């Protein structure tokens, strides 16, 4: 029993992130991860989620401010969010035994 607890995997996959995108493919995502985006008023953020199993929560919020998008147990799909204020935005994803991929990026990049 102790060995099983020690070998628990929080993340198995690939991750790339910078000031305008967060790209992840994972066979296991069982933790929180985040990326800071630098966005201007009117910028559009494209979300593409593939949820094969487990649960994925996603949020985008202005640092020190309110959330502009918050989704719990986000299903497979794509959508956009337009920001109405310039600044640094925190994009956070939380996996609960999740398997799949995500592409979150500022349009035009």
């Amino acid at each position: 029993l102790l060995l099983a607890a020690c070998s628990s995997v929080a993340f198995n996959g690939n991750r790339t992130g910078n000031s305008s995108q967060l790209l992840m493919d994972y066979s296991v995502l069982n933790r929180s991860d985040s990326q800071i985006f630098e966005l201007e008023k009117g910028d559009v953020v494209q979300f593409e989620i593939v949820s094969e199993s487990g649960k994925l929560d996603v949020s985008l919020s202005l640092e020190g401010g309110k959330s502009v998008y918050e989704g719990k147990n986000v299903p497979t799909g794509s959508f956009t969010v337009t920001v109405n204020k310039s600044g640094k935005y925190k994009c956070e994803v939380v996996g609960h035994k999740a398997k799949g991929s995500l592409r979150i990026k500022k349009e035009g990049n």
Side-chain angles (χ1 to χ4, degrees), residues 24-27 29 47-58 72-79 94-103:
M24 296 176 74
D25 296 289
Y26 43 88
S27 58
L29 178 60
F47 292 77
E48 295 176 14
I49 309 292
V50 175
S51 183
E52 296 178 29
S53 63
K55 295 181 181 181
L56 184 71
D57 300 336
V58 179
K72 301 285 187 192
N73 195 16
V74 180
T76 294
S78 61
F79 56 92
V94 181
H96 308 275
K97 298 180 182 176
K99 178 181 180 182
S101 64
L102 58 89
R103 304 276 178 274

Side-chain angles (χ1 to χ4, degrees), residues 4-95:
C6 291
S7 66
S8 178
V9 176
F11 179 74
N12 184 28
N14 299 303
R15 180 199 189 281
T16 301
N18 59 37
S19 64
S20 62
Q21 66 180 2
L22 175 60
L23 312 174
M24 296 176 74
D25 296 289
Y26 43 88
S27 58
V28 176
L29 178 60
N30 204 24
R31 70 173 191 194
S32 172
D33 199 333
S34 64
Q35 183 69 45
I36 301 298
F37 290 177
E38 294 180 20
L39 302 173
E40 300 295 324
K41 180 179 179 178
D43 279 349
V44 176
V45 180
Q46 173 74 38
F47 292 77
E48 295 176 14
I49 309 292
V50 175
S51 183
E52 296 178 29
S53 63
K55 295 181 181 181
L56 184 71
D57 300 336
V58 179
S59 65
L60 181 67
S61 53
L62 184 61
E63 275 195 328
K66 67 176 188 170
S67 177
V68 294
Y69 171 77
E70 200 167 322
K72 301 285 187 192
N73 195 16
V74 180
T76 294
S78 61
F79 56 92
T80 60
V81 174
T82 303
V83 299
N84 58 13
K85 190 173 184 181
S86 298
K88 292 185 178 186
Y89 285 76
K90 181 179 182 181
C91 180
E92 185 170 22
V93 296
V94 181

